[in-house]
């Protein structure tokens, strides 16, 4: 943008096209920049703390919310491509969450069985363990 003179076009856009005024335009642009930075830093933190798969799954969920937000807020057309992509995003997210739920349930059952069997191995003599 700096190389092609995009900032001067943004100045024109803020003065002529944006109907709320130049100040509101620049506040909106800066809020958008800060919000996107928080989003990407959160994703990087999630990848650092968990895995890149978890970060990708959450970004997929955000993608479908972005599409639905554009339809609701900006009255964008919800055609076949958007419907299919939204359904696939939601399906992928739900599959991942269901898989993690099953993995957690199995892990809890394994830990419970391990705790039950470990108490049986402790010999008890004359009421003292």
């Amino acid at each position: 943008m700096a190389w092609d003179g995009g900032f001067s076009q943004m100045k024109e856009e803020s003065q002529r096209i944006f109907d709320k005024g130049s100040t509101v335009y620049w506040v909106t642009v800066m809020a958008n920049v800060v919000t996107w930075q928080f989003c990407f830093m959160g994703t990087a933190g999630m990848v650092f703390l968990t895995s890149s798969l978890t970060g990708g799954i959450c970004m997929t969920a955000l993608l479908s919310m972005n599409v639905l937000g554009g339809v609701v807020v900006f009255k964008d057309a919800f055609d076949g491509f958007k419907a299919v992509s939204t359904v696939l995003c939601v399906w992928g997210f739900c599959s991942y969450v269901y898989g993690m739920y099953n993995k957690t349930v199995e892990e809890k059952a394994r830990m419970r069985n391990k705790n039950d069997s470990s108490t049986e191995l402790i010999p008890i003599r004359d009421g003292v363990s």
Side-chain angles (χ1 to χ4, degrees):
M1 282 184 68
W3 188 268
D4 292 335
F7 289 115
S8 64
Q9 291 175 355
M10 286 178 71
K11 185 177 179 182
E12 279 182 40
E13 182 181 37
S14 73
Q15 293 170 348
R16 285 202 263 149
I17 297 172
F18 197 73
D19 59 350
K20 303 286 187 205
S22 181
T23 305
V24 175
Y25 177 84
W26 289 109
V27 168
T28 303
V29 168
M30 292 312 295
N32 197 6
V33 167
V34 170
T35 302
W36 275 104
Q37 288 299 316
F38 280 137
C39 182
F40 284 115
M41 289 302 295
T43 303
M46 187 181 313
V47 168
F48 178 73
L49 294 174
T50 58
S51 69
S52 59
L53 176 65
T54 306
I57 293 296
C58 287
M59 289 304 283
T60 301
L62 286 175
L63 178 65
S64 63
M65 295 301 115
N66 191 8
V67 169
L68 294 175
V71 170
V72 171
V73 173
F74 298 116
K75 309 293 187 250
D76 200 13
F78 193 70
D79 56 356
F81 290 117
K82 287 183 184 176
V84 169
S85 68
T86 303
V87 167
L88 288 175
C89 287
V90 170
W91 184 16
F93 180 74
C94 290
S95 296
Y96 177 76
V97 169
Y98 182 69
M100 290 303 294
Y101 170 75
N102 282 339
K103 185 177 177 182
T104 304
V105 168
E106 289 174 3
E107 185 69 27
K108 284 182 181 178
R110 190 174 325 140
M111 292 300 287
R112 194 172 332 130
N113 289 340
K114 182 179 177 183
N115 289 339
D116 290 344
S117 64
S118 66
T119 57
E120 294 172 359
L121 298 176
I122 300 173
I124 299 176
R125 294 184 204 145
D126 298 330
V128 179
S129 58

